[in-house]
Amino acid sequence: MPDPAPDPAIAFHAHDHAHCCGGLIAEAEAIAASRSVRLTPVRRRVLEILLEEHRALGAYDVLERLARDGFGNQPPVAYRALDFLVDQGLAHRVARLNAFMACTHPGHSHTPAVLICRLCRTVAEAPGSRVRAAIDAEAETAGFAVERTTVEVLGLCPACREGAR
Amino acid sequence: MPDPAPDPAIAFHAHDHAHCCGGLIAEAEAIAASRSVRLTPVRRRVLEILLEEHRALGAYDVLERLARDGFGNQPPVAYRALDFLVDQGLAHRVARLNAFMACTHPGHSHTPAVLICRLCRTVAEAPGSRVRAAIDAEAETAGFAVERTTVEVLGLCPACREGAR
DNA sequence: CGTCTGAACGTTATGCTATAACATACGCCA
DNA sequence: TGGCGTATGTTATAGCATAACGTTCAGACG
Ligand SMILES: [Zn+2]
Ligand SMILES: [Zn+2]
Ligand SMILES: [Zn+2]
Ligand SMILES: [Zn+2]
C-alpha cells in the first residue's frame, strides 16, 4: 500500500489538503469500525471541521459551524463530540489554547509534541517519543510515576520564520 | 553559603516548609529589588498564598484568600498579581489545571517540567533542560523555531504511588 | 414483529476562567 | 507642587466547560 511514513509536521508544508482530509476521515472510519464505536454524523462533522484547516479551534468555534449545518447549537453537543474524538485519539486537546485539533496520525497511540505557530496559528505534531523518554528520565529521578504528558511548543513555523526575517 | 543545589522536586518530600516558604519569600524580595520591580503587599501576599502548600491554585482560590485579608476581591486583583509573579519567574502557570503554582527555584531562568500528582494534587518542578533539548531536536527537524514550551506531567507522586500499591 | 435497553443527542441552566475598560490612589521626580 | 507612570479598585462582560434531565434511535432478544 502506498502510505509510507508520513511527514510528522505535514501541517507546515504545502500538500494536497483535500487528499489529506479525505484520508484521515477514511482512517477514522476504519478505526471506529475496528473498535466498535460509532463515528456518528455529528462526530464525523466535527472531525471534518477540525480537519478543514491545520489549526486548533475552540469548542465554540466548532459549535458555530455545527449549528450552520443544522446540528444542535448548545455547548454540550460540541464538547461531547470533541471528547469522543480525543478519547479515540482522533483529535488532541491543546491546553495552552483551550482548543482542539485533528490528529494527523491517528491509530498510532502517541502523545505528540504540539507545535503552535504564534503568527499564523498553524498547529502541527512532532514525534513525542524522544521527549517522552527525557520526561521519563526526570520523573524517575523524582520518584514520580508518569501517566499522561502535555508537551506544547509556541514559536514560529517554517513559513512565518522566513517571513519574520 | 549553606545553600547547595536544592532538590528539584522538594514538594514531594518532607521538609521544613516554614523555612522553605520563608526562604523563597526572601529570594523573591531580593530578585524584585535587583530588578527594580516592586513586590507590593498584594503581590507578596499572593506569593505567600501560593507557597502555603505545594499545590496549584486557581485564580479564584487565590482571590478568595486575598479578600479574607482585606484586599480587593475582584478577579483582576488576583490575575494582575499572578501575571506579575509569572512574568518575574516567581510563579508558574499550569495550563492543564488552569491554575498557578509558586516557583521553587526562582532566579534561575528555567522552564521546568511540572509534575502533577493526580491523587494528592501536589505539584513539583523537575529540571526542564534535558526535555527542552529533546524538544529542540524535534523542532529543528520540523523547521520550527521554539520560543516557549509547556511540559506538564500527570501521574503519581512517590507517596501516592506507595499508597496505591 | 414488538419491546427492551443503552448510547447518542437536544436543551436548559449554571459554574468556572479570564479580560476590557475606566476610576482612584500613590510614589517619584522635575 | 504639579505632572507622570505604576499599581490598585471596581464594574461589566467575554470565553470556556459541565451538570442534569428529557427525547430519540439503533440494535439485541424473545
Ligand atoms: Zn496526533
Ligand atoms: Zn506559521
Ligand atoms: Zn520554577
Ligand atoms: Zn500524591
Side-chain angles (χ1 to χ4, degrees), chain B:
Chain B
M1 51 176 293
D3 194 352
D7 181 340
I10 187 173
F12 290 152
H13 308 300
H15 60 278
D16 180 343
H17 188 58
H19 178 263
C20 150
C21 293
L24 286 167
I25 288 280
E27 276 194 69
E29 305 264 24
I31 288 168
S34 78
R35 293 180 190 160
S36 302
V37 295
R38 300 185 336 175
L39 191 63
T40 62
V42 202
R43 292 166 175 177
R44 188 191 156 114
R45 183 71 194 111
V46 169
L47 182 56
E48 288 171 1
I49 288 168
L50 291 181
L51 281 167
E52 278 167 13
E53 295 170 80
H54 289 289
R55 303 211 291 120
L57 292 182
Y60 282 72
D61 296 324
V62 170
L63 183 58
E64 186 186 316
R65 289 163 168 79
L66 272 183
R68 278 190 223 143
D69 297 345
F71 294 97
N73 71 338
Q74 303 307 315
V77 175
Y79 279 102
R80 282 194 288 237
L82 288 165
D83 288 348
F84 169 85
L85 295 173
V86 170
D87 285 348
Q88 296 300 321
L90 301 173
H92 300 293
R93 180 166 227 293
V94 186
R96 267 195 90 102
L97 304 177
N98 292 320
F100 301 83
M101 64 188 286
C103 176
T104 47
H105 314 89
H108 327 190
S109 153
H110 67 170
T111 312
V114 177
L115 307 178
I116 308 163
C117 179
R118 75 172 152 80
L119 285 185
C120 68
R121 317 295 298 172
T122 297
V123 169
E125 298 181 36
S129 51
R130 269 186 274 255
V131 178
R132 172 58 188 260
I135 290 173
D136 285 344
E138 297 296 353
E140 171 71 22
T141 301
F144 187 89
V146 177
E147 289 176 353
R148 305 184 60 82
T149 62
T150 301
V151 178
E152 296 173 2
V153 186
L154 197 66
L156 293 181
C157 74
C160 293
R161 194 179 187 178
E162 195 62 22
R165 280 198 302 120

Side-chain angles (χ1 to χ4, degrees), chain A residues 12 117 119-122 156-157 159-160:
Chain A
F12 289 152
C117 179
L119 286 185
C120 67
R121 317 296 296 168
T122 297
L156 293 182
C157 73
C160 293

